[in-house]
Amino acid sequence: SIMSDGQVQAYFSDAAQQEVTYQTSGINAEVSGGGVRINMIPRDGGNIFSGSAFLGGTASSFVSDNLTPDLRARGLARGNSVSHISDVNVGLGGPIKRDKLWFFASWRKIRTDSIIAAGYWADGRPDPTQEEQAIQNQMLRLTWQVNQKNKFSVFHDRYPKFKVHEQVAGWIPEWETASGRRDQQHALYYTGQAKWTSTLSNRLLWETGYSTNVEYLYIGYQPG
């Protein structure tokens, strides 16, 4: 992304990647800034149907409590904590037409619910205030081997995202009405790419392509 200082990132599905490389030094001149460069090579599919699945998670019982008696005496009822984390990631690829056209599809859903220490409910209920949030990956990639020397590929990866409650930075929200919210119907995140590769000779390779990255969202208040 080119938003802000470039730290606003897209979301990627591990199951969609064939190979991931990390480069920490010696980065070439086509990269405008320093730091770690990550290169992800996506899966093509192929002539054999194959897939993968991953499931992981963390429960609140896995998190320790560092709320000291001194903090409790000052009125802090709970600290920041993890309520629930889950990650489901599946991928499947194979031939549409053998030796000619392949597909690879991937779906991922990550959910992270965090307990916010200083949020409160207007009616005084003791329930913890949580940021409930989740994001999906909905990716499809097609690869066409036009002939022995030419290959064309295209992919689209869409990320529906929502946050039921979101702490607004810089102040302590009354959770029922003053916390922010993100509706996935008003959040449009996606990346897409089309690429043509041609081996013109034993010494010359031609590549041309188009990439796009859109990150549009709306953060509003709770009803009322």
Side-chain angles (χ1 to χ4, degrees):
S1 170
I2 59 173
M3 293 172 61
S4 184
D5 58 359
Q7 292 184 356
V8 179
Q9 79 288 343
Y11 299 85
F12 294 98
S13 168
D14 291 340
Q17 312 307 324
Q18 176 175 298
E19 181 181 340
V20 181
T21 61
Y22 294 80
Q23 188 175 356
T24 59
S25 61
I27 297 174
N28 58 30
E30 70 184 25
V31 181
S32 61
V36 177
R37 177 176 170 83
I38 304 173
N39 184 39
M40 289 173 285
I41 301 172
R43 296 183 186 274
D44 278 340
N47 283 331
I48 299 175
F49 286 100
S50 62
S52 64
F54 171 83
L55 174 63
T58 298
S60 58
S61 57
F62 282 47
V63 182
S64 62
D65 183 4
N66 62 354
L67 196 61
T68 64
D70 179 59
L71 291 173
R72 291 185 185 277
R74 298 185 190 192
L76 187 63
R78 64 184 64 87
N80 286 335
S81 183
V82 169
S83 175
H84 169 88
I85 295 176
S86 62
D87 185 354
V88 181
N89 195 187
V90 295
L92 177 66
I96 298 175
K97 185 176 182 181
R98 291 181 62 85
D99 300 323
K100 267 300 187 186
L101 183 62
W102 309 291
F103 80 93
F104 194 89
S106 175
W107 180 82
R108 186 180 194 183
K109 184 174 183 179
I110 306 172
R111 185 177 181 94
T112 305
D113 295 342
S114 303
I115 295 174
I116 304 303
Y120 63 91
W121 298 96
D123 58 10
R125 78 185 83 160
D127 301 343
T129 52
Q130 298 188 68
E131 284 190 333
E132 311 98 332
Q133 56 184 326
I135 190 163
Q136 298 181 50
N137 279 88
Q138 302 170 353
M139 192 280 291
L140 176 64
R141 175 176 167 85
L142 300 175
T143 304
W144 178 27
Q145 189 71 46
V146 182
N147 52 42
Q148 188 175 3
K149 293 186 175 182
N150 292 276
K151 184 172 79 170
F152 183 78
S153 63
V154 61
F155 88 87
H156 185 267
D157 198 358
R158 171 83 163 87
Y159 328 120
K161 181 176 182 178
F162 74 86
K163 284 190 176 184
V164 181
H165 295 90
E166 180 175 15
Q167 184 177 27
V168 180
W171 55 287
I172 301 171
E174 184 277 299
W175 215 241
E176 193 162 21
T177 57
S179 61
R181 68 180 304 175
R182 301 189 196 186
D183 182 353
Q184 65 182 10
Q185 303 303 320
H186 297 88
L188 179 62
Y189 301 169
Y190 68 81
T191 55
Q193 185 181 82
K195 185 177 181 181
W196 171 40
T197 304
S198 180
T199 306
L200 299 180
S201 71
N202 291 336
R203 299 174 61 87
L204 185 61
L205 175 70
W206 171 274
E207 290 185 325
T208 185
Y210 170 80
S211 297
T212 183
N213 173 212
V214 171
E215 296 177 16
Y216 164 78
L217 72 149
Y218 170 75
I219 302 175
Y221 288 111
Q222 302 295 330

